[in-house]
Each structure stands twice: as structure tokens, then as C-alpha cells.
Amino acid sequence: MSLIKNYFSSLFRFSLKDRFYTLLNLFGLAIGMASAIMIFLYIQDELSFDKHNTDYERIYRLEGDFYINGKQDLTAITQIPLAPTLKDEYPEIEEMTRILPNPGIYFRSGEDIFKEDSIALADSTIFNVFTIEMIRGDQRTALVEPLTMVISESMADKYFGSPDIINESLRNLDGSEYRITGVFKDLPRNTHLRFNGLMSAKTIEEQIGTERFNDRSANSFWNVAGYSYVKLAENTTAQMVLDKFPEFYDKYMKELGDRLEATFDLRMTNVADQHYLPEELSWDLPKGNMNYIYILAIIAIFLVFIAGVNYTNLTTARAAQRGKEIGIRKVGGASRGILRKQFLSESLITALMAGIVALLLIMILLPVFNGFSEKAFRLGDIFQWDILLFIVGLTLLTGILSGLYPAYYLSSFDPVAIMKGGSDGLREKGWLRRVLVVAQFVVSAAMIIGTIVVALQLTYMRNKPLGFDRDQIITLQLNDTSIVNNVEAFKEELKRNPVIEGAARSTSVPGRFFGKSVMTVESGEGEMQEKTVNSVFVDYDFIDVYGMKLKDQPNARKFSKEFGSDLQSSFIINEAVAREFNHGEESVGKRFRPGVSIDGQGPPEGQIIGVLEDFHFASLHNPVDGLMLRVNEGAFLQTLSVRFAEGQAAEALDWIKETREKFNPTYPIQYAFLQDEIEELYTQERIVFSLFIAFTVLVLFISAIGLLGLSSFMTAKRTRETGIRRVMGATQNQIILLFITQFSKWVIISNIVAWPLSWLVMSRWLENFEFRKDFPFWSFGVSLMASLVIAILTVSWQSIKAARMDPARSLKAD
């Protein structure tokens, strides 16, 4: 105990004697540790998606793997009868549930109307599969009856101000009334299924009839409609179900599949793996990118490594000041082992203090980190057992690794030489320190290059021509019958204002999901082939409002009211469809059926009247897929796109609201700027870029501290040399240039090492995007210049001090 007390008092005296370097050491470690802890908090949150479910290891989502005429289509949604039929036939499945998202529902509360986007229809068995904590109501009966629903605690508070609302009702603006049978605790933020309310799936059964809802005919197994989940029995695996599925396919699907020239295979993904599922599935829910987790983990390691290197450099740089203390201890009988324990203990104490400071920094910076990461971490999240375990482990690891070299180095001093007042006892080889500083600036240069690459790719995605005009479009959801029934009059009224350049209706818009189904298209060889194609219904003005362009082909045209057949038998495709069916330059006139023909029954056949130049209706992560446009004037075209004049967004929005009021709308206005929606496709990239910027700044700052430590050490070691050079006639500027040149060469070496590593890592990252910028090799020059500027600014301070020292004092220094 007395020995530990002695270590504390020794460290305390030395720290007070050299406060500046003590604080530099402490905050260098604290910043690195705080950054690593926040990154771990982010990674832990991301990797724990859906693990709040008690039996998450046994919960699987059913997914579809369709092959239609040789083209694969992976789907996150499956057939309505699939899950219940599998449960009936296979004992390996303990329970199943189906979930059908039902966004865009409006509820009235007094005089207020609220739109709810997080409402879904679900089987009553959902509570047997997922862990949903009910605070009011009975899970066993909550969703058994039609027109019943359970809502979240926050939704209950919004509408009623209290969770004590069993048997209260919420009225939809379409006249439906839903009786509330339960209130559940708000779901954790790291779950892929986000809902504030669940309506009973029995409601659909009542609306369409029990026979149709429970249909298990062949046709029903070839139409996907909702998300299906199963909970496996204990001591079973998903592979047991998959091994039996060929028999299931033969029984229910093969006959019709053979006639369609199609196959279907079942996929099962554990609920905890969905957030980072590597494959792209149609109708999938928002998910993360595991590459970004790896990048952030590497950054955390870099930050701790750099902070530890700084501690090593600054501790050994100050070794000369502790020479006499070490000499006295050795003369007094202290062995190397005892001295090593002392200095290693000091390192652990410093790391412990840095850990405390790191926690204080996190408390201050957590709101800022939430802004960068778009999370909602609270202070209490830091005190979870796994986070605390990480903090303790990080503190011990940092203290031990950072203190090992100083402990061995300081304990190796020659006591006789030290007591004589010379520095010969400080037998230290500088190569290790230089290697560590080179490693620091390798990381710094790589981070600078990475930040540039991410910034350029994000800018490219924001500005790349997408094949349509996106910057001047406002989208409206048409829910009011007062507008839907008079939509043409509404459009004409909008266009009376010169700031409105056009308006068009459709079932979807670029950036949102376009429906996908099997189409039958005449190939370049004249055969009718079935393949899955994305599709959207539009009105006659859609192509012009979006500025899309038709390929120049004979007889090619847009949809027109002059051709009455357009509503029934005219189709416009994109270039991707033309390529897929080998049309060459002659698509116009090819036969097209919006579906398949079974036993001569199916939708009527039409023809292609035009080919649109490919446009990016999905994100730039993926290639442009096939798309078919079909014209319609029905009320189900409930998305209105309004094109406004450049720079007139505010005026256009005011006019839209004013015009809408003239039609006595019931529903609140729901609008969005298309550009904003498209940018939402790159949320993950935006978050990574923000974190890259923040942690690059920290890496550079900590690296500068490390360079300060090395320059401090080197100038102290070369004090006599500096005095001799001054006596021999060297000017202050020559001395400063000598030190700057010496340190700059290590920065240059660091960049040369970092360049190929950065190119390799960031080139692979760019491969995540089907459309991407070329690697900017000029970023190598930027990283070199930035590193040199930081090095020169950091080293200059110590160099100027050394150059200005009185030569007489310099010669006496050793």
C-alpha cells in the first residue's frame, strides 16, 4: 500500500512540475479514449438490432428467391398463405406472424388531424413471435377481432394524454373506427420493424372475405404481399425447414411455376442479421452497411493507437527531467523490475484519469455526436454493463500498452552517468519513436484521403444527372376526395400561377419504390418472354414534367389523349428493358403484356410506343433496372408532382397551399421536395462522411500532439548541438529550418506509405456504388500538404525556442 502511495506522490510531484506536458498527455489520451468509446457506442447500437427480442435466435424472416425466365429476383416480402401453411405442415415452426405496412393513415383527435406513417396490419400472433412489452391490455386477445388496434405509449400520449385508454377509439378520416385493445411500450430505436400502431389483420379478412384471405390455391403462392416471420421450435434450425421446402414447392407451386417458366426458393434470415443483410432485396426495409462498421472500428483503433503513441513519445521526451530521480532510486537499491512497475503504474494511473476525463468529454459532446451520427443516445446509455466493460478494458489496455516502452526505457538509465549530470545515461534509440510518429501520420494522411473520397462521392451523387429534373419538383399526396374527384381542375388552377411550370400524377416517383411484377415482352428474336419488370402508372403529363427524354426511334412517341388506345394497350419502357430483351434499336412496335397468360387467360396484349433514356429511379448504389410506364387517369394515381420555376420554391409552396384551400380539403397537406427525398437514399453515406470529418480532425489534432512530443524530445537531446551551431555562425532561421527539414522527411515517408493503402481501401469502398467517381489521385498531394502544414506549425514552436536559446546556456545544458 505504501508503495502505491509512493507511486502516486511521485507522479503527482512530477505532474505539477511540468503541468503543460501533463495536461497534453492527459487530454491526448482522453480525446482518443472518448472518441473510441463513442464509436463503440454507435457500433454496439448498430450490431444489436432486434436483439431485444427474447428469442431472437429463433426468429426468422421468410424471403423469396424467384427465378423467372432466368432472371433472379430476391424479395423481402412473401406470399400471404406461405407462413401459415408452413406452420401447419412443419413442426419445426412453433409460431408465425405476418405484417403488412399501412402508412399514410389519418386519425382525428378533437379538431386536430394527424397523419401516421408507422401503422401496420398484423396477425394476433405477433406477440408470440416478437417481444412487445404491453403496459395496458392483454396480448392474447388484443388483435383477435377486426377493427381493433394496439398503439404505442407515445401515440397514446399524443391522442389521449394517458395510457389508460382501453376500449377508447381512434377514427380514421375514411370513416373507419378502431377500438384500442392495448398500449405497448415504445419500441427500441434499433429495431428494423418500426411501428407506432398495429391494426388487426382480421380487418382485411372481414373486408375481403375469409375464403379469399385464407386462399391457398396455386395462384396465391405466386403473389407476394407482406412480411412474414416464423419462430422456430427449440433445438431446430432454419436449415431443417429449408431442406423440406422442395416438397412444399412441389405440392403447392411447381405446376404453375412450370407453366410460367419460373421457380421459387425459400430464404430465411435471422431477425438479428437483417439490418446488415448484404444482398439487395426488393421491398426490403432500411438497413445498414457493414463496411461502415468496419471503417468506424478501424478509426477507433487508430485513435486509441495514436493517443497511446503520444503518451509514449511525451513520456520518453521528458525522461531527462526524471534522470536524477531514477538515478537516486537505483543508487538506493531499486531494481529495474521495481522501476518498471512504478512507471507502468504511473501509466495506468494516467490512463485511469484520462478515462474519467473521457467520460466528462462524452457527457459534454454526446449531443454533438448524436447530430453527426443521427442517433439519439442518452447519458444513461454509457452506463450499460457492456459499455462500462469496454471502458474499463480500454483504460487498462491503453495504460499498459502506452506505458510498456516508457517503463522499460526509463528503468534502463545508467545511474552513474545520470548522477554525473550527463545525458549519456539516457541510452535511447530513436528509431522506435520515429516509426511510431510515421505510423501516426500514415493514419492521418489516410484519413484525409478518405474524407476527400467520401466528400467527392457524396457530391457526385447529389449532382449527377439522373435522367430527369429533380431540383424543382414538389410532390403531394392526394388523399382528399374533394381534390381527387376534381384533380384536373386542381392541376389547371395550380398552373394559373406562372411559378408553376407543370403538374402530373403517378403511383410513385423517383426515389420511392416502383412496383415490380412479371411482364411478358416480345424479344428481339420475336419470342414472348416473361421477366420481372418495375412498373409505374402515370398520367399524360408525367414525362414532360420530369423532363425525361425518349430515344430517337421510328414512330416513337409519348402518351397522348389523341390515341384512345393508350389507356389500354400502349406501353413505354426504358433502355434497360430494351437491353434485357435484346431489342437493339427497334423496340417500338414490340408486343407487350403487363402480366402473364395462363391457359389463354391474362391481361390483354399491347405494344411498346416509346423507349425512355435510362434514368435513375432508385439509388446510385444499383444499376438502372428495367421499368415500364403505363398511362392511366384513375383515382389511384395519388402522387402529384408539381414542377416550379427555378428559385421559386417558397412562392410555389405558398400557391399550392392557397389553391388547395379552395377545394375544401379534409386532410392536412402532405408534401415533400423531391431533391430531399433522393438525398435520403444516401443517409448512411452522409452519416459516415460526418463522422469521417469529425474523427479526421481529432486524428490530426492528436497526431500534432505526438509530433510536439517528438520535437520536444529531439530539441532537448540536441540542445548542445544547437549551441555549437550558433557559436559556429548558424542563424536562428537556419536552426529552425534544420529541425523542420528533419521532421518533414518523416511526414513525407508517412504519406508515401499511406497512399497505396488509402487507394486500396477507398477504391473498394467506391465499388459499393454502381455509379461512382474515379479515385482522386490528386488527394495524395492534398494529404501531403496538409500533413506538412501541421508538422511545420507544430515543430516550429519547439524549433524557435531552441534556436533563440542563449548559446552559452545551450553548451551548459548537458
Side-chain angles (χ1 to χ4, degrees), residues 308-336:
V309 167
N310 284 353
Y311 179 87
T312 300
N313 282 339
L314 287 171
T315 302
T316 52
R318 299 156 63 198
Q321 300 176 36
R322 303 193 69 174
K324 288 189 178 180
E325 175 196 343
I326 296 167
I328 292 171
R329 288 183 181 274
K330 282 199 169 186
V331 171
S335 66
R336 284 191 177 188

Side-chain angles (χ1 to χ4, degrees), residues 120-191:
L121 290 144
D123 290 314
S124 60
T125 53
I126 189 171
F127 302 108
N128 300 332
V129 176
F130 295 102
T131 301
I132 301 172
E133 186 178 343
M134 296 285 283
I135 58 177
R136 298 290 188 278
D138 187 348
Q139 289 185 350
R140 295 170 297 179
T141 59
L143 295 177
V144 170
E145 298 178 10
L147 293 173
T148 57
M149 69 181 299
V150 294
I151 63 176
S152 68
E153 188 175 10
S154 59
M155 189 172 170
D157 186 64
K158 179 169 72 172
Y159 286 96
F160 301 98
S162 167
D164 296 316
I165 53 172
I166 300 300
N167 292 324
E168 294 283 349
S169 295
L170 277 176
R171 183 179 293 276
N172 192 343
L173 289 189
D174 66 6
S176 304
E177 189 169 306
Y178 293 87
R179 181 168 60 89
I180 298 172
T181 54
V183 178
F184 59 87
K185 190 173 181 180
D186 289 353
L187 298 176
R189 59 178 176 264
N190 53 351
T191 179

Side-chain angles (χ1 to χ4, degrees), residues 734-753:
Q734 287 174 327
I735 298 295
I736 293 170
L737 183 62
L738 174 69
F739 281 106
I740 289 175
T741 302
Q742 181 180 12
F743 287 105
S744 295
K745 69 180 180 182
W746 300 115
V747 173
I748 293 170
I749 292 171
S750 301
N751 275 266
I752 292 172
V753 173

Side-chain angles (χ1 to χ4, degrees), residues 385-428:
W385 70 267
D386 48 352
I387 303 295
L388 290 175
L389 188 63
F390 175 78
I391 293 172
V392 172
L394 179 65
T395 301
L396 293 174
L397 185 65
T398 303
I400 292 170
L401 294 182
S402 301
L404 277 176
Y405 177 66
Y408 275 81
Y409 167 55
L410 294 173
S411 64
S412 67
F413 288 177
D414 181 355
V416 177
I418 291 173
M419 297 304 290
K420 287 181 178 180
S423 61
D424 294 336
L426 280 65
R427 299 188 301 272
E428 193 267 342

Side-chain angles (χ1 to χ4, degrees), residues 425-494:
L426 280 65
R427 299 188 301 272
E428 193 267 342
K429 297 178 181 179
W431 64 267
L432 178 60
R433 195 190 330 276
R434 294 186 181 95
V435 167
L436 293 176
V437 171
V438 167
Q440 280 186 312
F441 273 87
V442 167
V443 174
S444 302
M447 292 286 287
I448 293 170
I449 294 167
T451 301
I452 291 171
V453 173
V454 174
L456 289 175
Q457 181 63 21
L458 272 179
T459 303
Y460 173 76
M461 291 188 297
R462 287 172 178 164
N463 300 324
K464 182 187 184 299
L466 299 180
F468 62 90
D469 297 329
R470 60 180 170 179
D471 297 327
Q472 297 159 228
I473 301 287
I474 296 174
T475 61
L476 304 172
Q477 289 305 117
L478 304 179
N479 302 298
D480 290 293
T481 54
S482 56
I483 292 179
V484 172
N485 294 337
N486 300 280
V487 67
E488 291 303 318
F490 180 66
K491 287 169 58 178
E492 291 304 316
E493 184 67 18
L494 286 176

Side-chain angles (χ1 to χ4, degrees), residues 280-345:
E280 290 292 331
L281 277 64
S282 300
W283 296 287
D284 206 353
L285 297 165
K287 60 183 182 179
N289 187 324
M290 186 56 74
N291 289 328
Y292 298 149
I293 296 297
Y294 295 144
I295 290 172
L296 290 174
I298 291 170
I299 290 174
I301 293 170
F302 283 165
L303 283 161
V304 175
F305 166 75
I306 290 172
V309 167
N310 284 353
Y311 179 87
T312 300
N313 282 339
L314 287 171
T315 302
T316 52
R318 299 156 63 198
Q321 300 176 36
R322 303 193 69 174
K324 288 189 178 180
E325 175 196 343
I326 296 167
I328 292 171
R329 288 183 181 274
K330 282 199 169 186
V331 171
S335 66
R336 284 191 177 188
I338 292 175
L339 289 173
R340 286 170 184 168
K341 288 179 182 178
Q342 175 190 343
F343 295 123
L344 197 57
S345 297

